Amino acid sequence: MSYIEVNYPTDKKEFYEMLKEQLQLYIGEETNQTAILANVSSVIAQAFPEANWVGFYLVDGEELVLGPFQGKPAVSRIGYGCGVCGTALKEKHSQVVEEVSCFPGHIACDCNTHAEIVIPLLDKENGNIWGVLDMDSVIPGYFTEEDRIGLEQAVELL
Ligand code: SME
């Protein structure tokens, strides 16, 4: 399938409707988790030009391990309760961080990052977290509550 450039609307509701359509298009009938998460990280990165890192950390025992992503190389393992991702895992809810330097224990992967959002990925059958979607932006306060809600709905496609 060849990628067709899409122009995302500025209205957030319409933006997330289009994002979900695009994600569904690239998830399709695929069942391999690596292939799905690789394309999902790419589709989201295309939709958020101001995001400098978009990717997944997956639960591996007590900690998180790096999954498919778009952006600069990143830390491969994050402990339970550590950083923004490990906090999302521990608290079982999304984290919206306006300024990462103000987040206690933030793990810096790119010194240009200011804002971050982390969305837990929930098993539909038992509610357990099996990973997180992590996004960074160089723009302070970039991610909003609308993004949290939109992204939480988007990852339900996974
Ligand atoms: N900042 C994250 C670490 C991963 S990088 O942002 C890609 C954290 O504090 O958990």
Side-chain angles (χ1 to χ4, degrees):
M1 176 197 282
S2 59
Y3 178 71
I4 298 166
E5 196 86 33
V6 286
N7 290 317
Y8 283 92
T10 48
D11 177 84
K12 285 277 181 177
K13 194 169 177 292
E14 292 172 18
F15 173 94
Y16 278 103
E17 284 309 314
M18 185 176 278
L19 180 65
K20 282 189 283 185
E21 282 170 21
Q22 286 295 302
L23 291 172
Q24 198 57 72
L25 194 63
Y26 285 91
I27 293 170
E29 301 299 312
E30 184 54 63
T31 55
N32 180 279
Q33 188 189 61
T34 304
I36 292 170
L37 298 184
N39 262 340
V40 167
S41 65
S42 176
V43 168
I44 296 176
Q46 295 292 325
F48 287 85
E50 294 87 357
N52 56 325
W53 201 92
V54 177
F56 294 93
Y57 280 91
L58 305 174
V59 170
D60 185 28
E62 293 291 300
E63 57 187 5
L64 293 165
V65 66
L66 184 62
F69 71 95
Q70 305 278 308
K72 290 182 182 168
V75 62
S76 60
R77 288 190 179 265
I78 298 177
Y80 182 82
C82 297
V84 186
C85 294
T87 300
L89 175 67
K90 183 180 175 187
E91 297 186 358
K92 293 190 167 61
H93 62 74
S94 300
Q95 307 288 313
V96 183
V97 181
E98 290 186 10
E99 177 52 64
V100 292
S101 60
C102 299
F103 189 95
H106 166 255
I107 300 162
C109 291
D110 181 340
C111 59
N112 295 314
T113 293
H114 282 282
E116 181 162 359
I117 189 165
V118 178
I119 311 288
L121 309 174
L122 304 174
D123 187 317
K124 290 180 186 75
E125 284 174 13
N126 55 26
N128 290 342
I129 297 184
W130 55 273
V132 299
L133 166 67
D134 181 18
M135 297 174 64
D136 293 342
S137 174
V138 295
I139 302 171
Y142 179 69
F143 299 108
T144 65
E145 275 300 291
E146 277 179 305
D147 293 313
R148 179 186 64 76
I149 293 164
L151 290 167
E152 284 177 354
Q153 290 172 355
V155 300
E156 284 177 16
L157 296 173
L158 294 171

